[in-house]
Amino acid sequence: SQQGEEDPQALSIQEGENATMNCSYKTSINNLQWYRQNSGRGLVHLILIRSNEREKHSGRLRVTLDTSKKSSSLLITASRAADTASYFCATDFSGGYNKLIFGAGTRLAVHP
Amino acid sequence: DVKVTQSSRYLVKRTGEKVFLECVQDMDHENMFWYRQDPGLGLRLIYFSYDVKMKEKGDIPEGYSVSREKKERFSLILESASTNQTSMYLCASSLSRPPMGSTFGSGTRLTVV
């Protein structure tokens, strides 16, 4: 399978704590993206990191990419109850594909 | 506010019915996608389209077809609905190919009974 895989499947933390989610993939990529999905809704694009980048920030989000290990991590700092959602990584493969492959997601629960 | 609109949030259909799921985007994007989402499986690509009247099969096209007569509209068709097609269906569009930040609709939860 070319699918990215998120780890852990579920994460439960308290408000104010940091949340880290990981994504692994199998083949060379052009870029890796993270999306968020609130319960029963569509996905919202959070951040994109290109294969030649190692780290990227957006507000409370920090994404790292290690192409040698074929893995990425999403860090949400100082989490809030409103961050409760599922988070998905998506990759496009540099082997000529023109589509995104999504992982199964990490369910994050942030408790007040 | 730019958006992707899916015509129905919830839909219940009978086995064997022909089902149309409609998706409209107002961003003038050339690229549109249909995914289905099932617990533990993430999003799986059914069909995509990079231009009007153009379509390409995704990873799980069996039992589905699509229509793209106008740039802004991409329809997913279940030729003869079956219970294993009960799922959440998500439409997305993107400006670039491959997608670098897709915009998703709110989803249609289809139940086939």
Side-chain angles (χ1 to χ4, degrees):
Chain A
S1 166
Q2 298 167 336
Q3 191 179 44
E5 296 179 359
E6 285 94 341
D7 169 57
Q9 291 186 338
L11 183 60
S12 181
I13 60 174
Q14 298 296 126
E15 265 192 328
E17 293 180 343
N18 294 342
T20 300
M21 289 158 269
N22 304 296
C23 170
S24 60
Y25 56 91
K26 296 184 179 179
T27 63
S28 297
I29 60 172
N30 293 311
N31 65 70
L32 185 144
Q33 305 174 39
W34 284 92
Y35 287 80
R36 163 194 170 127
Q37 183 181 36
N38 285 45
S39 180
R41 310 294 296 189
L43 278 71
V44 175
H45 181 256
L46 295 176
I47 195 166
L48 178 150
I49 187 165
R50 298 178 189 272
S51 60
N52 61 355
E53 297 176 310
R54 292 297 167 257
E55 188 171 313
K56 202 160 183 181
H57 297 255
S58 177
R60 293 184 296 113
L61 304 181
R62 172 179 169 249
V63 170
T64 60
L65 179 64
D66 186 335
T67 53
S68 66
K69 295 181 179 179
K70 292 186 171 57
S71 67
S72 173
S73 67
L74 171 67
L75 168 68
I76 304 174
T77 60
S79 62
R80 307 166 181 167
D83 294 328
T84 294
S86 291
Y87 293 82
F88 295 87
C89 69
T91 52
D92 76 308
F93 293 88
S94 58
Y97 297 93
N98 287 306
K99 57 186 182 181
L100 293 180
I101 306 296
F102 285 82
T106 292
R107 293 188 312 279
L108 172 66
V110 182
H111 302 284
Chain B
D1 194 19
V2 293
K3 61 170 68 173
V4 174
T5 302
Q6 294 182 232
S7 54
S8 305
R9 285 297 316 280
Y10 299 95
L11 213 51
V12 180
K13 295 292 182 180
R14 295 195 180 278
T15 300
E17 276 194 76
K18 190 169 186 176
V19 181
F20 293 85
L21 302 184
E22 306 288 345
C23 175
V24 177
Q25 51 98 1
D26 64 0
M27 295 166 284
D28 201 34
H29 286 172
E30 291 186 346
N31 311 301
M32 296 188 75
F33 308 83
W34 274 107
Y35 297 88
R36 66 176 280 176
Q37 183 179 22
D38 300 287
L41 296 178
L43 277 72
R44 293 179 292 168
L45 183 63
I46 306 171
Y47 266 98
F48 57 106
S49 169
Y50 288 137
D51 201 354
V52 175
K53 297 191 186 294
M54 172 273 176
K55 60 185 178 184
E56 285 196 35
K57 293 180 180 178
D59 299 317
I60 52 164
E62 296 78 20
Y64 303 94
S65 63
V66 290
S67 172
R68 186 132 183 235
E69 296 294 321
K70 293 184 178 181
K71 188 176 185 178
E72 67 271 18
R73 186 179 297 269
F74 191 36
S75 303
L76 180 68
I77 304 158
L78 286 67
E79 297 292 342
S80 177
S82 63
T83 55
N84 63 14
Q85 292 179 309
T86 291
S87 186
M88 170 73 103
Y89 289 88
L90 292 163
C91 175
S93 73
S94 72
L95 181 63
S96 63
R97 180 175 25 157
M100 296 175 67
S102 296
T103 301
F104 280 80
S106 295
T108 296
R109 187 165 295 280
L110 172 67
T111 302
V112 182
V113 298

